[in-house]
Amino acid sequence: MGDILVTRSSMPEFAEYVEEIKDIWDSRWLTNMGKKHCELEKQLERYLKVDHVSLFANGHMALELLLQAMGLTGEVITTPFTFASTTHAIVRNGLKPVFCDINPDTYTIDATKIESLITERTSAILPVHVYGNLCDVEAIEEIARRHHLKVIYDAAHTFGVEYQGRGVAAFGDASMFSFHATKVFHTIEGGAVCFNGDADGLKEDLYGLKNFGIRDEVTVDAVGANSKMNEFQAAMGLCNLRHLDREIEKRGRVVARYRERLLGVPGLKLSAPQDKVKPNYAYFPVLFDPSVFYADRDAISEKLKKEHIFTRKYFYPITNSFACYRDRYSVEDTPVALDVSRKVLTLPLYADLSLEDVDRICDLILER
Ligand SMILES: *Cc1c(COP(=O)(O)O)cnc(C)c1O
């Protein structure tokens, strides 16, 4: 049997992509906010139900340049239970991450622990909607309002997620999405900053920052970078967006089967569906408690690997334990994040994963 990887990129039919990139050949406009780029921005604004979408070459640069555009200073409250990108984006802006622990059920920032971390140097909160689970957006909004803080969401996992009919990007001052090949919606590599309203000219600032800070032909008024999404990436996005609802539906079937097989097994913890949230089935994390279950996370991962089934310890290790941050932060400050990172395994999940394969994976996990 062939390998089962933890994920498999969605792709349009080859002919559909070829059709989409024909215009690019004809126009010879390959990058620098071309037609496909503008079209994708418009379509994403509609799909995500948000006023503004600004595309980037990848999600990380979208986040890094968003923090720069917001002019943040001092400290940013965030969590270590995330991909390296979130913490690096803060540090690379010369800001100090202050690590808040996570909620043991949603794995997102524990909103009840944010306020005790706020100091006179705090300028923003940067929570992560982990695995497609929505943060406690209402509590976070309330705290931010009371303390005059910006809220920037790392929404890399929540493309298409809605809460009470509102797109996830409607919350906070702005959200970053990743369109990396492994994400629910992708443009090969790519990302976006999304936000409602535009009081401070954020759209123009982001446009400048992703293009070297060039305002017009003779004015360079920001120390920008190069992070433009090219036309071939945008074309992939236009194709993938056409099929996305169906892909998410198919992911939902895989998740339903996993839940059917694994829910209620002593020693296994699954993520619960959230109230009033339209999910995107981005990941399927399982926590293995070795004091109850017959094997720990690492043993299960090895057992599946022997059968050519590849899971991921996502997120392990947590970012405040990275070698590059050694001696600066302590994992003891975030005991829940540390505990979850040692127990969690994300199982294979993609639209075309067959239910037979899901059954085989579950059989292997469950049989001693
Ligand atoms: C994927 C991801 C990113 C980074 O996105 P890229 O497009 O790969 O640069 C940031 N944060 C989280 C939580 C992610 O999963």
Side-chain angles (χ1 to χ4, degrees):
M1 254 178 278
D3 290 357
I4 298 178
L5 304 183
V6 69
T7 188
R8 188 161 175 265
S9 297
S10 298
M11 301 276 273
E13 292 292 328
F14 182 63
E16 184 181 348
Y17 187 65
V18 169
E19 183 60 34
E20 192 65 52
I21 62 175
K22 251 196 195 122
D23 310 339
I24 309 176
W25 245 266
D26 297 339
S27 69
R28 304 238 168 170
W29 190 301
L30 309 183
T31 184
N32 286 48
M33 304 27 148
K35 277 208 181 104
K36 301 287 172 192
H37 179 282
C38 297
E39 179 58 29
L40 184 61
E41 278 191 349
K42 256 189 266 144
Q43 289 194 18
L44 289 176
E45 282 164 4
R46 232 173 295 140
Y47 192 91
L48 294 169
K49 302 184 180 177
V50 68
D51 293 347
H52 300 288
V53 170
S54 184
L55 295 173
F56 285 82
N58 57 66
H60 176 80
M61 285 308 292
L63 184 59
E64 202 172 301
L65 295 175
L66 170 61
L67 298 182
Q68 184 181 347
M70 291 231 154
L72 303 182
T73 57
E75 299 173 359
V76 175
I77 297 174
T78 187
T79 89
F81 193 72
T82 183
F83 189 52
S85 171
T86 322
T87 304
H88 287 350
I90 295 170
V91 175
R92 287 169 58 84
N93 268 284
L95 301 163
K96 183 181 173 211
V98 172
F99 293 105
C100 184
D101 211 349
I102 58 170
N103 177 300
D105 297 317
T106 62
Y107 317 125
T108 62
I109 198 164
D110 184 342
T112 67
K113 292 181 181 152
I114 293 174
E115 269 189 306
S116 64
L117 299 172
I118 296 174
T119 72
E120 68 278 4
R121 292 178 300 281
T122 309
S123 62
I125 308 171
L126 204 179
V128 185
H129 299 301
V130 180
Y131 304 133
N133 290 337
L134 198 77
C135 295
D136 188 348
V137 290
E138 282 134 356
I140 292 166
E141 190 175 309
E142 178 54 34
I143 293 165
R145 190 168 32 226
R146 250 198 323 269
H147 298 272
H148 309 289
L149 302 175
K150 297 277 189 207
V151 178
I152 294 149
Y153 284 105
D154 181 332
H157 290 186
T158 37
F159 190 92
V161 170
E162 294 183 7
Y163 178 51
Q164 295 183 315
R166 295 171 74 192
V168 70
F171 302 97
D173 294 280
S175 298
M176 174 279 279
F177 290 88
S178 164
F179 306 151
H180 183 256
T182 55
K183 304 298 206 278
V184 168
F185 166 77
H186 79 88
T187 59
I188 308 169
E189 291 262 7
V193 170
C194 303
F195 56 97
N196 278 337
D198 194 19
D200 306 319
L202 183 58
K203 180 112 187 176
E204 288 72 29
D205 290 346
L206 291 169
Y207 192 97
L209 285 174
K210 70 178 144 191
N211 191 27
F212 306 100
I214 297 172
R215 177 75 55 173
D216 60 43
E217 271 180 48
V218 292
T219 317
V220 179
D221 63 0
V223 185
N226 179 6
S227 185
K228 304 182 297 285
M229 177 180 284
N230 71 48
E231 290 292 275
F232 291 85
Q233 291 172 285
M236 181 61 89
L238 289 169
C239 292
N240 283 336
L241 200 55
R242 287 184 200 120
H243 307 286
L244 188 64
D245 288 339
R246 171 101 183 104
E247 293 279 304
I248 291 176
E249 191 187 311
K250 285 161 80 180
R251 282 174 168 273
R253 262 187 254 158
V254 172
V255 166
R257 185 64 146 244
Y258 271 132
R259 292 184 63 78
E260 225 176 280
R261 296 291 315 274
L262 302 178
L263 190 67
V265 174
L268 300 190
K269 183 170 171 177
L270 313 183
S271 272
Q274 290 178 293
D275 201 27
K276 299 175 194 147
V277 172
K278 179 183 160 203
N280 70 351
Y281 310 108
Y283 298 88
F284 197 80
V286 178
L287 263 55
F288 292 82
D289 181 353
S291 68
V292 181
F293 200 62
Y294 74 92
D296 66 10
R297 180 270 306 270
D298 292 345
I300 294 294
S301 159
E302 285 308 310
K303 182 178 180 183
L304 292 172
K305 203 181 281 176
K306 283 202 189 93
E307 303 295 326
H308 302 275
I309 295 164
F310 298 90
T311 56
R312 239 188 111 185
K313 297 168 194 177
Y314 195 58
F315 299 106
Y316 174 85
I318 48 178
T319 67
N320 52 0
S321 74
F322 284 0
C324 58
Y325 298 129
R326 189 156 294 151
D327 302 329
R328 281 209 257 172
Y329 308 104
S330 169
V331 293
E332 310 303 328
D333 294 340
T334 54
V336 178
L338 182 64
D339 183 56
V340 172
S341 76
R342 286 171 172 165
K343 289 178 176 159
V344 73
L345 199 62
T346 55
L347 302 183
L349 171 55
Y350 44 88
D352 291 324
L353 183 63
S354 72
L355 299 184
E356 291 72 36
D357 281 336
V358 175
D359 281 338
R360 193 158 66 87
I361 293 164
C362 293
D363 288 343
L364 285 163
I365 290 171
L366 294 172
E367 80 197 10
R368 277 171 182 269

